[in-house]
């Protein structure tokens, strides 16, 4: 685990019917492998995927036994090697050479195949580098897929059984095959670096526009803002697939297989037969939603080989709660959506603890808007505790899940102000970092 030094301080898409979302989430990130579970074109689709997907050797993967949870590391690579100079200019991709992990998501499937979760990892998470120093998670990809897997599994503690990599071209091809994706923006989005120029309101995004949208870090939350956009886009994409009944159209499903799989790489142990078996297992999980969460953390300036850089430090208790959920095969508890988090009237009782700044910052970067109200009426003791005003238990659950904290009952005689919905009482654990199991 990297020692970080001293502690320092939306868009919406329609989703349509709910029943296929779990399977389609896996279909989206493992690309077209899931089409092999459908219709009379199964054999042809299998052969198409087998011919198109590039199998690569990836070190550091854990072998998953039958009956165990399955964890797939999905990487969106920003490699530009298949793009012409004109295409790079049109997509505002700059002159960067090589490749970084522009998107890192852990797709987790429970042992009983009833729970499917997507866990987003910020690009700037601090991890160890090959020389014993520190690096950003996105930078490890430049040293090879093995190093990225090592950072995710050893430094962050997430188990990785399989690896899937999708290129920029693959992302755009997916949108092209679907047709377009509708996103509704609450406010305009202008980002010259990403090539984004969108007015507020609902709009259909073509592949170029969709890429600009998911690449943008515009806004006060930076990398976390981008993750919110990526999650909003994924939900909208799944909604489009459902609304257009793509699953019921064998011809179009084959088209997806033919086009998208050309830009996908997987580890050489993720065989077609295993993909098909997993798809069949997941048909029993098509009756619920897919939970999308983000590794909680906050920013801090750290010295990296003589240069001061801004990193994201994982918040220990919140990270550990995610790891515990994965180990137990539980679906992570809901953190609410971006709009809901912003609207929570959240109060922070510091308890006089120095770690209160870490909790406040973690909440802020998570999209909440806490207000500090001094030491508070309750001393939480060893562990940070969340309290809810009557009727706001769901919102308290979002806050507690983000912090890896428990929701407690307010002691008799303690009341909250009329303007407060949720209170966080900071405990001794606020200034500690959990070591991965």
């Amino acid at each position: 685990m990297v020692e970080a030094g001293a502690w320092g301080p939306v868009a919406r898409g329609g989703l349509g019917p709910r029943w296929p979302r779990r399977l389609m989430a896996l279909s989206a990130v493992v690309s077209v492998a899931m089409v092999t579970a459908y219709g009379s074109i199964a054999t042809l689709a299998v052969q198409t995927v087998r011919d198109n997907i590039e199998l690569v050797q990836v070190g550091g993967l854990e072998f998953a036994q039958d009956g165990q949870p399955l964890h797939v590391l999905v990487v969106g690579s920003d490699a530009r090697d298949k793009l012409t100079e004109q295409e790079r200019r049109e997509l505002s991709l700059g002159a960067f050479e090589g490749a970084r992990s522009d998107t890192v998501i852990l797709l987790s499937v429970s042992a009983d195949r009833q729970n499917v979760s997507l866990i987003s990892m910020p690009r700037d998470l601090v991890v160890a580098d090959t020389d014993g120093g520190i690096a950003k998670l996105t930078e490890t990809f430049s040293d090879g897929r093995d190093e990225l897997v090592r950072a995710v599994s050893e430094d962050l503690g997430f188990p990785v059984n399989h690896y899937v990599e999708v290129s920029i071209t693959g992302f755009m091809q997916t949108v092209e095959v679907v047709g377009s994706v509708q996103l509704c923006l609450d406010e305009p989005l202008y980002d010259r670096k990403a090539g984004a120029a969108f007015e507020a309101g609902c709009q259909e995004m073509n592949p170029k526009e969709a890429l600009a949208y998911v690449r943008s870090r515009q806004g006060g939350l930076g990398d976390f803002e981008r993750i919110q956009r990526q999650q909003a886009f994924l939900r909208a994409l799944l909604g489009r697939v459902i609304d257009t009944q793509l699953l019921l159209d064998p011809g179009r499903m084959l088209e997806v297989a033919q086009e998208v799989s050309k830009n996908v790489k997987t580890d050489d142990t993720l065989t077609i037969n295993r993909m098909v078996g997993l798809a069949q297992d997941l048909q029993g999980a098509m009756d619920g939603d897919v939970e999308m969460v983000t590794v909680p953390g906050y920013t801090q300036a750290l010295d990296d080989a003589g240069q001061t850089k801004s990193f994201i430090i994982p918040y220990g208790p919140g990270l550990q709660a995610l790891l515990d959920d994965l180990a137990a095969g539980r679906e992570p508890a809901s953190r609410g959506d971006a709009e809901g988090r912003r609207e929570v009237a959240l109060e922070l009782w510091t308890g006089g603890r120095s770690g209160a700044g870490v909790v406040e910052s973690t909440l802020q970067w998570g999209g909440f808007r806490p207000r500090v109200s001094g030491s508070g009426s309750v001393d939480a003791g060893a562990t940070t505790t969340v309290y809810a005003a009557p009727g706001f238990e769901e919102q308290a659950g979002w806050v507690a899940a983000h912090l890896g904290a428990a929701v407690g009952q307010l002691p008799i005689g303690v009341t909250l102000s009329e303007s407060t919905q949720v209170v966080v009482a900071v405990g001794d654990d606020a200034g500690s970092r959990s070591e991965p199991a």
Side-chain angles (χ1 to χ4, degrees), residues 225-287:
E225 201 100 35
R226 170 157 49 188
I227 287 175
Q228 289 178 4
R229 293 189 179 103
Q230 291 172 350
Q231 293 176 346
F233 171 82
L234 181 55
R235 291 188 183 280
L237 175 65
L238 301 185
R240 179 63 124 200
V241 169
I242 293 167
D243 291 343
T244 57
Q245 297 185 322
L246 178 60
L247 291 177
L248 305 179
D249 187 335
R252 291 198 65 203
M253 289 297 288
L254 180 57
E255 182 184 0
V256 172
Q258 291 173 326
E259 297 300 327
V260 181
S261 60
K262 298 174 184 177
N263 298 286
V264 174
K265 299 177 182 179
T266 73
D267 70 89
D268 54 8
T269 67
L270 185 57
T271 62
I272 296 298
N273 289 339
R274 181 150 199 178
M275 291 179 183
V276 174
L278 182 58
Q280 293 169 342
D281 287 342
L282 284 172
Q283 291 187 61
M286 294 191 297
D287 60 351

Side-chain angles (χ1 to χ4, degrees), residues 299-379:
T299 62
Q300 181 173 321
L302 301 175
D303 179 76
D304 179 14
Q307 292 185 336
T308 300
K309 298 180 181 179
S310 178
F311 289 84
I312 293 176
I313 313 299
Y315 179 68
L319 171 60
Q320 192 61 53
L322 276 177
L323 298 177
D324 291 344
D325 284 340
L326 294 185
R330 294 188 298 263
E331 185 177 41
S334 175
R335 275 75 169 160
D337 59 21
E339 183 177 3
R341 290 191 294 270
R342 284 196 301 268
E343 294 179 351
V344 176
L346 179 59
E347 192 172 343
L348 188 69
W349 293 346
T350 68
R353 291 176 171 83
S354 59
V358 172
V359 176
E360 180 185 10
S361 186
T362 299
L363 289 169
Q364 289 173 338
W365 288 107
F368 296 98
R369 296 180 176 179
R371 66 178 187 275
V372 178
S373 301
S375 293
S377 304
V378 177
D379 190 297

Side-chain angles (χ1 to χ4, degrees), residues 74-377:
V74 182
V75 178
S77 169
D78 69 354
R80 285 97 157 139
D81 56 306
K82 292 186 178 181
L83 300 173
T84 66
E85 290 187 11
Q86 180 176 347
E87 288 172 329
R88 293 188 189 193
R89 287 194 298 270
E90 291 176 349
L91 298 174
S92 301
L93 293 176
F96 172 79
E97 298 296 336
R100 294 165 297 191
S101 51
D102 211 40
T103 302
V104 181
I105 297 176
L106 186 74
L107 182 144
S108 177
V109 186
S110 63
D112 61 7
R113 303 303 187 247
Q114 296 303 303
N115 294 327
V116 179
S117 307
L118 301 178
I119 300 173
S120 297
M121 302 182 193
R123 290 163 35 109
D124 293 346
L125 280 171
V126 62
V127 295
D129 66 13
T130 54
D131 298 323
I134 60 174
K136 296 182 178 182
L137 181 63
T138 184
E139 296 170 343
T140 64
F141 189 66
S142 299
D143 293 324
R145 302 178 183 93
D146 297 10
E147 182 60 18
L148 176 62
V149 170
R150 184 210 59 76
V152 169
S153 59
E154 294 183 10
D155 293 347
L156 300 176
F158 290 103
V160 181
N161 306 126
H162 289 295
Y163 176 93
V164 173
E165 181 181 317
V166 182
S167 67
I168 290 176
T169 306
F171 171 88
M172 297 181 67
Q173 189 63 57
T174 301
V175 181
E176 182 72 33
V177 170
V178 171
S180 63
V181 174
Q182 185 186 72
L183 284 156
C184 298
L185 281 64
D186 294 327
E187 56 188 28
L189 173 62
Y190 298 106
D191 185 346
R192 182 181 58 82
K193 291 182 178 180
F198 304 112
E199 300 291 340
C202 297
Q203 50 211 286
E204 295 286 337
M205 294 190 182
N206 61 32
K208 178 181 176 181
E209 292 167 335
L211 180 64
Y213 176 79
V214 299
R215 289 184 61 231
S216 176
R217 290 199 284 183
Q218 190 71 18
L221 298 180
D223 204 14
F224 291 100
E225 201 100 35
R226 170 157 49 188
I227 287 175
Q228 289 178 4
R229 293 189 179 103
Q230 291 172 350
Q231 293 176 346
F233 171 82
L234 181 55
R235 291 188 183 280
L237 175 65
L238 301 185
R240 179 63 124 200
V241 169
I242 293 167
D243 291 343
T244 57
Q245 297 185 322
L246 178 60
L247 291 177
L248 305 179
D249 187 335
R252 291 198 65 203
M253 289 297 288
L254 180 57
E255 182 184 0
V256 172
Q258 291 173 326
E259 297 300 327
V260 181
S261 60
K262 298 174 184 177
N263 298 286
V264 174
K265 299 177 182 179
T266 73
D267 70 89
D268 54 8
T269 67
L270 185 57
T271 62
I272 296 298
N273 289 339
R274 181 150 199 178
M275 291 179 183
V276 174
L278 182 58
Q280 293 169 342
D281 287 342
L282 284 172
Q283 291 187 61
M286 294 191 297
D287 60 351
D289 203 350
V290 176
E291 194 60 44
M292 300 184 188
V293 302
T294 304
V295 173
Y298 58 95
T299 62
Q300 181 173 321
L302 301 175
D303 179 76
D304 179 14
Q307 292 185 336
T308 300
K309 298 180 181 179
S310 178
F311 289 84
I312 293 176
I313 313 299
Y315 179 68
L319 171 60
Q320 192 61 53
L322 276 177
L323 298 177
D324 291 344
D325 284 340
L326 294 185
R330 294 188 298 263
E331 185 177 41
S334 175
R335 275 75 169 160
D337 59 21
E339 183 177 3
R341 290 191 294 270
R342 284 196 301 268
E343 294 179 351
V344 176
L346 179 59
E347 192 172 343
L348 188 69
W349 293 346
T350 68
R353 291 176 171 83
S354 59
V358 172
V359 176
E360 180 185 10
S361 186
T362 299
L363 289 169
Q364 289 173 338
W365 288 107
F368 296 98
R369 296 180 176 179
R371 66 178 187 275
V372 178
S373 301
S375 293
S377 304

